[in-house]
Amino acid sequence: MPFARELAAIGRAWSTLADADALWAICIRPEARHGGWDVAAFYATGAAEIEAVLSQAGRLGLRTSGQHALDFGCGAGRLTRPLALHFALVQGVDIAPGMLELAQRDDPAAGRCRYVLNTRPDLAVFQAGEFDLVYSSIVLQHMPPELARAYLAEFARVLRPGGSLIFQLPTHPRWTVRGLLYRCLPPTALGVIQRRLLGYAAPMRMHGMAERRVRGMLAAHGVEVVAAAPVAYHPDWRELRYFCRRR
Ligand SMILES: C[S@@+](CC[C@H](N)C(=O)[O-])C[C@H]1O[C@@H](n2cnc3c(N)ncnc32)[C@H](O)[C@@H]1O
């Protein structure tokens, strides 16, 4: 299977991060380390994101409700749950079993959210044209760009014509001290710094992709980028949220 070694490493890292301090690994805030996230406040960040982003998507003329949505890299269900207010069924997909366990724990949207473990470099578990919306935040940045491109092609495949694709992806590191480290050091060295100096339970790789490359590959898969808006999850990276429509 292509990307087998990369996926095994990503799965191991995120399982370790999930078991150690899942909510912090998903939304890194210094004050929320070591189980410090207030659970309600954590999920409230997801509700706020989905309401703001779907409003923006609606203003751009994109489809923002319907039968079936996919939340790729769903983690603890922070975004899956609020998506269920807009779609009859939301499918959360993740590579880490510990994340999926959390997502299903005390899920107020349980009847409308389903979760599936996927360790493949594709979304063969879903049929072509199944989804009205494919959504992904702070996920594609954590894998090698070639693998992110493979998933982007799959997002296009599983979307129905006229469906919406909304995802976040950094373009490149900023000229900050940490941004310079991201520019200059290989991922293995950054992983050592994260583990030894910053105390991460496992490395959290970060990658960007030039906007022009993203646009080019989406166009080749029949996806039109309606807008690419700046977004700020990570102070050391320039990031975009892409609002797209399947032709
Ligand atoms: C920073 S968390 C974001 C979770 C969620 N999107 C959110 O914003 O709350 C990244 C998530 O992506 C998942 N992930 C990483 N690589 C993945 C892959 N190849 N397939 C599915 N999930 C993946 C991780 O397990 C983790 O739960």
Side-chain angles (χ1 to χ4, degrees):
M1 188 167 60
F3 303 111
R5 192 185 299 187
E6 289 89 342
L7 281 165
I10 292 169
R12 272 196 306 277
W14 279 100
S15 293
T16 304
L17 290 163
D19 295 344
D21 198 354
L23 302 193
W24 175 81
I26 292 167
C27 287
I28 295 184
R29 307 254 169 101
E31 70 281 8
R33 199 127 188 219
H34 308 300
W37 258 111
D38 172 81
V39 175
F42 171 83
Y43 281 103
T45 64
E49 172 174 327
I50 291 301
E51 290 319 307
V53 173
L54 291 192
S55 298
Q56 195 174 357
R59 290 193 295 277
L60 291 166
L62 293 181
R63 182 181 294 180
T64 57
S65 60
Q67 284 303 305
H68 206 184
L70 169 66
D71 178 17
F72 178 77
C74 61
R78 187 178 73 95
L79 306 167
T80 328
R81 295 176 181 190
L83 280 171
L85 297 174
H86 301 267
F87 294 86
L89 179 66
V90 187
Q91 191 79 57
V93 170
D94 207 278
I95 199 168
M99 289 293 185
L100 294 174
E101 272 169 38
L102 267 182
Q104 289 167 92
R105 192 180 298 166
D106 306 322
D107 181 0
R112 297 160 76 98
C113 296
R114 275 194 211 142
Y115 294 95
V116 63
L117 181 71
N118 188 53
T119 58
R120 296 178 55 89
D122 57 38
L123 296 172
V125 62
F126 302 118
Q127 292 174 3
E130 262 198 59
F131 293 99
D132 299 291
L133 168 77
V134 175
Y135 194 94
S136 190
S137 264
I138 47 176
V139 178
L140 298 173
Q141 62 187 20
H142 292 306
M143 60 186 76
E146 314 80 63
L147 181 56
R149 277 197 289 277
Y151 285 123
L152 285 172
E154 281 292 89
F155 294 169
R157 184 185 66 80
V158 301
L159 264 178
R160 70 181 43 166
S164 307
L165 168 60
I166 304 176
F167 65 97
Q168 165 273 357
L169 192 58
T171 56
H172 54 262
R174 294 187 182 282
W175 293 103
T176 59
V177 173
R178 284 188 191 219
L180 276 175
L181 293 179
Y182 281 115
R183 279 172 191 265
C184 299
L185 295 181
T188 41
L190 287 166
V192 171
I193 292 176
Q194 288 176 331
R195 296 189 65 182
R196 299 263 167 85
L197 295 182
L198 303 177
Y200 286 23
M204 219 184 270
R205 290 178 67 156
M206 278 293 291
H207 298 274
M209 207 187 294
E211 181 180 353
R212 132 186 77 74
R213 284 206 87 174
V214 175
R215 285 177 177 270
M217 75 89 42
L218 288 175
H221 286 88
V223 174
E224 171 199 2
V225 177
V226 176
V231 58
Y233 281 104
H234 199 304
D236 303 303
W237 288 78
R238 176 178 178 263
E239 303 163 76
L240 293 174
R241 178 170 281 119
Y242 294 88
F243 292 86
C244 318
R245 185 187 296 110
R246 179 86 170 92
R247 292 203 179 86

